[in-house]
Amino acid sequence: MVGTIDLDEEMLQGQADIWRFIYAFADSMALKSVVELRIANIIHSHGGAVTLSQIASCINNGGSRTPPDINCLSRIMRLLVRRKVFAVQHPSDGGEPLYDLTHSSKWILHDSKLTLAPQIMAQTHPWLMAPWHCFSRCVKEGGVAFKKAHGSEIWDFASEKPEFNGLFNNAMACTAKIASSAIVMGYKEGLSRIGSLVNVGGGTGGLISEIVKANPHIKGINSDLPHVVSTVPEYPGVCHIGDDMFHGIPNGDAIIIKVL
């Protein structure tokens, strides 16, 4: 006779939690796929809820004669509906389900001023996923996970790989746009009293440019590594300086540092 294992409610809940942790990555990968396929933009362009068939017909298949796989798309959308990234309506007449945007999916619209799409593409890229696989090595050996995964520090890696540099800078720039409006509104009085502001590690200069735009009396200084500022656009009232903040930063009345 095969023995049975008695599991109490707490043990069963523990097992369920572990399964949830194991497959937690699926949410990120599903989100990445709909950003790559521009599904939020497809729904937005229709001005309202659309069927899977309508979404599939608008997916850029790169000239391939093979149509998008509706079944695969359905499974991805079902997961993201459950996560409240998209909404679904089931017509009373039994017609095809209709998918619509939610407050969450509005944050993954490409080309929107407030979008997290570049951040999603960066954080789910193999370059930035690889260091997460090195945590146990960091515990055993010490050191930085990114360097263990790629053989160099992140800033050196970015200086050697323009594609990674662009991916990382775009991710930082999209969060800067989100932060800038809050900073401009929340620190009006403080900003009115300074003549120059240094954004240390300012990336492509989006944050400092928005602050200067709202406060034209401020001289904006965008400070970052030379390989970063070498590719940034020019902004009125902002100068870019290539340097290393660990060796010194430009002079100014105040500094601002945005971590993410």
Side-chain angles (χ1 to χ4, degrees):
M1 179 182 292
V2 178
T4 60
I5 300 176
D6 245 348
L7 296 177
D8 61 25
E9 188 174 337
E10 287 186 351
M11 284 293 288
L12 289 171
Q13 182 57 54
Q15 179 190 186
D17 289 341
I18 294 299
W19 280 113
R20 178 165 54 86
F21 297 148
I22 290 171
Y23 288 105
F25 73 91
D27 291 348
S28 297
M29 294 300 104
L31 192 60
K32 176 185 181 179
S33 71
V34 298
V35 170
E36 290 176 321
L37 296 169
R38 304 178 75 91
I39 287 176
N41 284 76
I42 291 171
I43 296 172
H44 180 70
S45 68
H46 277 78
V50 293
T51 65
L52 280 180
S53 300
Q54 289 173 307
I55 293 172
S57 69
C58 296
I59 290 175
N60 182 350
N61 224 14
S64 171
R65 294 183 180 181
T66 306
D69 188 325
I70 292 283
N71 289 330
C72 184
L73 177 61
S74 173
R75 294 172 70 182
I76 292 170
M77 294 299 286
R78 193 184 315 147
L79 171 61
L80 294 177
V81 165
R82 186 171 180 81
R83 297 293 184 260
K84 301 188 185 332
V85 176
F86 295 103
V88 66
Q89 306 163 21
H90 296 279
S92 56
D93 62 2
E96 283 189 73
L98 297 167
Y99 293 87
D100 208 346
L101 301 178
T102 64
H103 290 303
S104 295
S105 45
K106 289 175 183 176
W107 284 94
I108 60 174
L109 288 166
H110 291 264
D111 307 320
S112 171
K113 182 176 181 181
L114 298 180
T115 178
L116 286 170
Q119 187 68 239
I120 293 165
M121 294 309 299
Q123 296 301 335
T124 58
H125 193 284
W127 280 327
L128 283 175
M129 292 296 291
W132 294 89
H133 293 273
C134 298
F135 276 13
S136 60
R137 286 182 59 196
C138 289
V139 172
K140 292 177 181 178
E141 306 163 6
V144 178
F146 191 95
K147 188 172 183 179
K148 290 185 181 302
H150 299 293
S152 63
E153 300 285 0
I154 187 170
W155 312 119
D156 295 328
F157 191 78
S159 69
E160 296 161 2
K161 290 189 177 294
E163 186 181 348
F164 177 77
N165 186 46
L167 185 77
F168 186 84
N169 288 341
N170 287 340
M172 295 299 101
C174 82
T175 56
K177 288 179 183 177
I178 297 167
S180 63
S181 58
I183 292 170
V184 167
M185 293 300 294
Y187 293 91
K188 278 184 178 180
E189 185 178 345
L191 291 170
S192 69
R193 296 199 298 263
I194 62 175
S196 59
L197 179 64
V198 183
N199 189 183
V200 178
T204 56
L207 177 59
I208 190 71
S209 70
E210 289 298 315
I211 293 173
V212 170
K213 187 188 298 182
N215 301 271
H217 66 281
I218 294 178
K219 175 188 176 184
I221 303 167
N222 181 50
S223 169
D224 212 314
L225 293 167
H227 74 266
V228 176
V229 299
S230 66
T231 61
V232 301
E234 294 298 322
Y235 299 103
V238 176
C239 67
H240 302 288
I241 297 178
D243 58 13
D244 185 337
M245 67 179 178
F246 296 110
H247 293 97
I249 59 174
N251 292 323
D253 295 333
I255 65 170
I256 184 170
I257 302 176
K258 185 182 77 68
V259 178
L260 287 176

mmCIF file of all heavy atoms in Angstrom, residues 111-127:
data_model
loop_
_atom_site.group_PDB
_atom_site.id
_atom_site.type_symbol
_atom_site.label_atom_id
_atom_site.label_comp_id
_atom_site.label_asym_id
_atom_site.label_seq_id
_atom_site.Cartn_x
_atom_site.Cartn_y
_atom_site.Cartn_z
ATOM 1 N N ASP A 111 5.757 55.885 -26.898
ATOM 2 C CA ASP A 111 5.710 57.281 -27.348
ATOM 3 C C ASP A 111 4.810 58.176 -26.490
ATOM 4 O O ASP A 111 4.565 59.318 -26.843
ATOM 5 C CB ASP A 111 5.264 57.378 -28.823
ATOM 6 C CG ASP A 111 6.101 56.499 -29.730
ATOM 7 O OD1 ASP A 111 7.327 56.440 -29.515
ATOM 8 O OD2 ASP A 111 5.541 55.862 -30.639
ATOM 9 N N SER A 112 4.312 57.654 -25.382
ATOM 10 C CA SER A 112 3.564 58.495 -24.451
ATOM 11 C C SER A 112 4.565 59.221 -23.570
ATOM 12 O O SER A 112 5.645 58.704 -23.278
ATOM 13 C CB SER A 112 2.635 57.632 -23.594
ATOM 14 O OG SER A 112 2.056 58.386 -22.559
ATOM 15 N N LYS A 113 4.231 60.444 -23.130
ATOM 16 C CA LYS A 113 5.157 61.187 -22.281
ATOM 17 C C LYS A 113 5.415 60.429 -20.985
ATOM 18 O O LYS A 113 6.534 60.391 -20.481
ATOM 19 C CB LYS A 113 4.615 62.582 -21.971
ATOM 20 C CG LYS A 113 5.583 63.414 -21.130
ATOM 21 C CD LYS A 113 5.108 64.824 -20.903
ATOM 22 C CE LYS A 113 6.146 65.596 -20.080
ATOM 23 N NZ LYS A 113 5.723 66.977 -19.802
ATOM 24 N N LEU A 114 4.354 59.834 -20.431
ATOM 25 C CA LEU A 114 4.496 59.049 -19.210
ATOM 26 C C LEU A 114 4.365 57.574 -19.559
ATOM 27 O O LEU A 114 3.265 57.048 -19.679
ATOM 28 C CB LEU A 114 3.443 59.455 -18.176
ATOM 29 C CG LEU A 114 3.517 60.904 -17.692
ATOM 30 C CD1 LEU A 114 2.419 61.173 -16.674
ATOM 31 C CD2 LEU A 114 4.887 61.225 -17.093
ATOM 32 N N THR A 115 5.489 56.937 -19.786
ATOM 33 C CA THR A 115 5.493 55.515 -20.151
ATOM 34 C C THR A 115 6.615 54.798 -19.428
ATOM 35 O O THR A 115 7.678 55.376 -19.173
ATOM 36 C CB THR A 115 5.672 55.332 -21.670
ATOM 37 O OG1 THR A 115 5.710 53.930 -21.971
ATOM 38 C CG2 THR A 115 6.943 55.975 -22.176
ATOM 39 N N LEU A 116 6.364 53.550 -19.090
ATOM 40 C CA LEU A 116 7.398 52.701 -18.490
ATOM 41 C C LEU A 116 7.880 51.631 -19.472
ATOM 42 O O LEU A 116 8.629 50.724 -19.085
ATOM 43 C CB LEU A 116 6.863 52.039 -17.215
ATOM 44 C CG LEU A 116 6.741 52.978 -16.006
ATOM 45 C CD1 LEU A 116 5.985 52.298 -14.872
ATOM 46 C CD2 LEU A 116 8.121 53.427 -15.526
ATOM 47 N N ALA A 117 7.463 51.739 -20.732
ATOM 48 C CA ALA A 117 7.852 50.742 -21.729
ATOM 49 C C ALA A 117 9.373 50.586 -21.840
ATOM 50 O O ALA A 117 9.884 49.455 -21.854
ATOM 51 C CB ALA A 117 7.229 51.069 -23.085
ATOM 52 N N PRO A 118 10.157 51.689 -21.920
ATOM 53 C CA PRO A 118 11.620 51.511 -22.008
ATOM 54 C C PRO A 118 12.203 50.842 -20.768
ATOM 55 O O PRO A 118 13.176 50.092 -20.864
ATOM 56 C CB PRO A 118 12.141 52.950 -22.153
ATOM 57 C CG PRO A 118 10.988 53.720 -22.717
ATOM 58 C CD PRO A 118 9.770 53.113 -22.083
ATOM 59 N N GLN A 119 11.621 51.104 -19.594
ATOM 60 C CA GLN A 119 12.106 50.477 -18.366
ATOM 61 C C GLN A 119 11.845 48.970 -18.392
ATOM 62 O O GLN A 119 12.693 48.165 -17.986
ATOM 63 C CB GLN A 119 11.399 51.107 -17.163
ATOM 64 C CG GLN A 119 11.926 50.674 -15.819
ATOM 65 C CD GLN A 119 13.326 51.174 -15.512
ATOM 66 O OE1 GLN A 119 14.220 50.360 -15.277
ATOM 67 N NE2 GLN A 119 13.538 52.482 -15.530
ATOM 68 N N ILE A 120 10.677 48.582 -18.903
ATOM 69 C CA ILE A 120 10.342 47.163 -19.013
ATOM 70 C C ILE A 120 11.314 46.464 -19.965
ATOM 71 O O ILE A 120 11.831 45.381 -19.668
ATOM 72 C CB ILE A 120 8.896 46.978 -19.510
ATOM 73 C CG1 ILE A 120 7.914 47.474 -18.436
ATOM 74 C CG2 ILE A 120 8.605 45.518 -19.859
ATOM 75 C CD1 ILE A 120 6.504 47.671 -18.944
ATOM 76 N N MET A 121 11.585 47.090 -21.108
ATOM 77 C CA MET A 121 12.476 46.479 -22.087
ATOM 78 C C MET A 121 13.901 46.346 -21.546
ATOM 79 O O MET A 121 14.605 45.383 -21.865
ATOM 80 C CB MET A 121 12.475 47.307 -23.382
ATOM 81 C CG MET A 121 11.130 47.293 -24.109
ATOM 82 S SD MET A 121 10.475 45.629 -24.386
ATOM 83 C CE MET A 121 11.768 44.926 -25.411
ATOM 84 N N ALA A 122 14.319 47.293 -20.723
ATOM 85 C CA ALA A 122 15.665 47.219 -20.145
ATOM 86 C C ALA A 122 15.742 46.150 -19.062
ATOM 87 O O ALA A 122 16.627 45.284 -19.075
ATOM 88 C CB ALA A 122 16.069 48.580 -19.576
ATOM 89 N N GLN A 123 14.821 46.192 -18.121
ATOM 90 C CA GLN A 123 14.912 45.298 -16.964
ATOM 91 C C GLN A 123 14.666 43.833 -17.313
ATOM 92 O O GLN A 123 15.094 42.946 -16.577
ATOM 93 C CB GLN A 123 13.917 45.745 -15.878
ATOM 94 C CG GLN A 123 14.209 47.121 -15.311
ATOM 95 C CD GLN A 123 15.582 47.237 -14.671
ATOM 96 O OE1 GLN A 123 16.166 46.253 -14.224
ATOM 97 N NE2 GLN A 123 16.113 48.456 -14.616
ATOM 98 N N THR A 124 13.979 43.568 -18.412
ATOM 99 C CA THR A 124 13.737 42.184 -18.827
ATOM 100 C C THR A 124 14.713 41.704 -19.903
ATOM 101 O O THR A 124 14.612 40.574 -20.368
ATOM 102 C CB THR A 124 12.296 42.004 -19.346
ATOM 103 O OG1 THR A 124 12.074 42.903 -20.454
ATOM 104 C CG2 THR A 124 11.268 42.289 -18.261
ATOM 105 N N HIS A 125 15.650 42.561 -20.292
ATOM 106 C CA HIS A 125 16.648 42.166 -21.293
ATOM 107 C C HIS A 125 17.633 41.175 -20.665
ATOM 108 O O HIS A 125 17.973 41.297 -19.487
ATOM 109 C CB HIS A 125 17.401 43.398 -21.798
ATOM 110 C CG HIS A 125 18.216 43.142 -23.016
ATOM 111 N ND1 HIS A 125 19.434 42.470 -22.976
ATOM 112 C CD2 HIS A 125 17.999 43.448 -24.321
ATOM 113 C CE1 HIS A 125 19.927 42.381 -24.201
ATOM 114 N NE2 HIS A 125 19.076 42.962 -25.035
ATOM 115 N N PRO A 126 18.101 40.193 -21.421
ATOM 116 C CA PRO A 126 19.071 39.227 -20.874
ATOM 117 C C PRO A 126 20.284 39.877 -20.212
ATOM 118 O O PRO A 126 20.836 39.339 -19.249
ATOM 119 C CB PRO A 126 19.470 38.404 -22.106
ATOM 120 C CG PRO A 126 18.252 38.435 -22.980
ATOM 121 C CD PRO A 126 17.670 39.811 -22.793
ATOM 122 N N TRP A 127 20.721 41.031 -20.718
ATOM 123 C CA TRP A 127 21.865 41.711 -20.105
ATOM 124 C C TRP A 127 21.600 42.055 -18.642
ATOM 125 O O TRP A 127 22.484 41.947 -17.807
ATOM 126 C CB TRP A 127 22.202 42.988 -20.866
ATOM 127 C CG TRP A 127 22.995 42.767 -22.110
ATOM 128 C CD1 TRP A 127 23.934 41.800 -22.340
ATOM 129 C CD2 TRP A 127 22.927 43.554 -23.299
ATOM 130 N NE1 TRP A 127 24.450 41.937 -23.605
ATOM 131 C CE2 TRP A 127 23.863 43.005 -24.216
ATOM 132 C CE3 TRP A 127 22.198 44.675 -23.697
ATOM 133 C CZ2 TRP A 127 24.065 43.532 -25.484
ATOM 134 C CZ3 TRP A 127 22.391 45.201 -24.956
ATOM 135 C CH2 TRP A 127 23.317 44.628 -25.844
#
